[in-house]
Structures are given as structure tokens and as C-alpha cells.
Amino acid sequence: MKKIIMFLLASILLVGCQTENINSIKDEETKNKIAEVEEKNNKEQSSEGENTFDISKIKFTDSDGKEYGIEDFKGKITALNFFNTKCSYCIRELPDLESIMETEDDIEFVPISVGEDPEVVENFLKDKEINLKPYFDRNFELSAMFKIDGFPTSVFFNEEGKLLGIAPGYQEKEMLMELISAIREGRVEPIESTK
């Protein structure tokens, strides 16, 4: 039974249980920039012969340009939540993420805007009365690293900063809480190829 539960949870994280609840990236400029960075990264990896995932390359900034990484959130279950202000599913999901963080001290959702102006994002969050601190993937490196092709998409890490998996699409609050419980209970294993 435990193997079935682990398989189902891994399926949720790695494939996504609600992939129909995702807004594909429609902005051609953003799609092209992500594809360019992804292609560059693939060439570098194949020339280096390296297939491991380097967690130290996960970098994003706040609106002031200060750089952050997963190591800044160690000690908490962390999810990078890639979003866009024009994404209807993101608008539904962000308040749930905020609500979970208000009641769960060991959870950190890190909303990362892709290809948007910080002022636009901050005004959007203010208008929607969402008090989450926004972060930004300014150079499209993270989006390319995780092959983001739609919003919202969440990338989960355990308390030690080890990659657990990717959940594309809008996730209901109850599903997120079930996933968080599974992570807390150790039923979701880190992806082996991280360094």
C-alpha cells in the first residue's frame, strides 16, 4: 500500500494531477526566451557530459534586485510557484498559497513571476489583496531549468533544499495540504540526481 501511495504522490508531483488547470504561455517573446535559455543549457550540459541537477544554480530576485536561492529557505518545505498576472488559475491559487503559509509555519511558497515588470506584479498583488512577496525570474534561467510551459507551476523542495518534483497546473488547497502532509511524513523521496 505504501508503494502505491508513494507512486501516486510521485505522479502528482512529476506529472501533475490537474494539468488541464494550467494556462499555457501565450506570450511568444516569453516562450522564445525560455526556449533559447533551455537550448543553451542543453548544449552546455551535453558538452560537459553532466546530467546532474545543480541546486546552486537556482537563483531568483526580489523587486529590488536582491538575489535569492533555495538555500535561503532551508528548514521549510518550499515551493517555487511560477505565475503570471494574466493567468486565471494563478489568480485562484495565490490566495490559497497565502492562506496555507498563514497557518503552516514550516511551509514557504515563493511566487516567481516570469517575464513581467516588477511594478506590474506588485500592483497586481496589491489589487488582489495578496500579501505574498513576489520574486522574479528576470533572465528566464529558472523557467528554462524546470521547462516551465504554463502557469501556475510549482516546484517542490524538502526542508533540506532537495528537489522533490514539479506540479504543473492549479492545485486545489486540499490537494496541496495532502501533498504537504505526504512530504512531512517522508512519503515523497527527493529526486536522486540533485547535487
Side-chain angles (χ1 to χ4, degrees), residues 15 20 48 52 63 65 91 96 146 165 178 188:
V15 179
E20 70 275 3
E48 295 171 3
T52 57
S63 57
I91 293 167
D96 287 344
F146 294 115
E178 287 177 31
V188 181

Side-chain angles (χ1 to χ4, degrees), residues 111-126:
I112 298 181
S113 174
V114 180
E116 292 185 292
D117 180 84
E119 188 176 337
V120 169
V121 173
E122 288 175 341
N123 288 336
F124 163 81
L125 293 174
K126 185 178 177 182

Side-chain angles (χ1 to χ4, degrees), residues 17-35:
C17 65
Q18 299 181 17
T19 54
E20 70 275 3
N21 293 337
I22 191 165
N23 287 337
S24 297
I25 298 174
K26 292 180 177 72
D27 176 41
E28 288 300 319
E29 184 178 345
T30 299
K31 282 170 61 173
N32 291 337
K33 286 182 181 179
I34 292 170

Side-chain angles (χ1 to χ4, degrees), residues 5-182:
I5 291 170
M6 287 176 53
F7 174 77
L8 289 173
L9 290 168
S11 297
I12 290 168
L13 277 172
L14 298 174
V15 179
C17 65
Q18 299 181 17
T19 54
E20 70 275 3
N21 293 337
I22 191 165
N23 287 337
S24 297
I25 298 174
K26 292 180 177 72
D27 176 41
E28 288 300 319
E29 184 178 345
T30 299
K31 282 170 61 173
N32 291 337
K33 286 182 181 179
I34 292 170
E36 285 172 22
V37 173
E38 192 175 328
E39 186 177 325
K40 180 186 127 226
N41 291 346
N42 288 340
K43 285 179 184 175
E44 286 174 8
Q45 276 187 344
S46 63
S47 69
E48 295 171 3
E50 186 177 308
N51 290 324
T52 57
F53 179 83
D54 187 353
I55 201 135
S56 69
K57 291 184 178 179
I58 297 175
K59 299 292 179 199
F60 44 92
T61 63
D62 64 13
S63 57
D64 295 326
K66 181 179 177 190
E67 191 171 83
Y68 293 84
I70 288 300
E71 65 276 0
D72 294 310
F73 299 95
K74 278 191 178 176
K76 292 187 174 197
I77 296 168
T78 302
L80 304 180
N81 180 261
F82 292 87
F83 79 101
N84 185 282
T85 59
K86 295 173 183 73
C87 163
S88 60
Y89 294 115
C90 301
I91 293 167
R92 287 174 52 193
E93 188 174 64
L94 286 168
D96 287 344
L97 304 183
E98 181 177 29
S99 171
I100 291 170
M101 285 177 48
E102 288 172 353
T103 60
E104 308 295 323
D105 293 338
D106 63 335
I107 307 300
E108 187 76 33
F109 287 101
V110 180
I112 298 181
S113 174
V114 180
E116 292 185 292
D117 180 84
E119 188 176 337
V120 169
V121 173
E122 288 175 341
N123 288 336
F124 163 81
L125 293 174
K126 185 178 177 182
D127 289 346
K128 299 293 181 189
E129 298 180 358
I130 298 169
N131 296 313
L132 295 172
K133 178 180 179 174
Y135 297 88
F136 303 89
D137 180 17
R138 295 177 195 257
N139 58 11
F140 302 91
E141 287 285 334
L142 273 183
S143 305
M145 181 184 295
F146 294 115
K147 301 181 184 331
I148 303 299
D149 62 2
F151 304 114
T153 295
S154 293
V155 181
F156 284 85
F157 297 84
N158 68 13
E159 299 91 333
E160 298 167 4
K162 293 184 179 176
L163 178 65
L164 297 174
I166 300 171
Y170 166 73
Q171 307 296 322
E172 299 278 347
K173 186 176 180 179
E174 294 76 23
M175 176 60 81
L176 287 169
M177 290 307 299
E178 287 177 31
L179 182 55
I180 289 165
S181 292

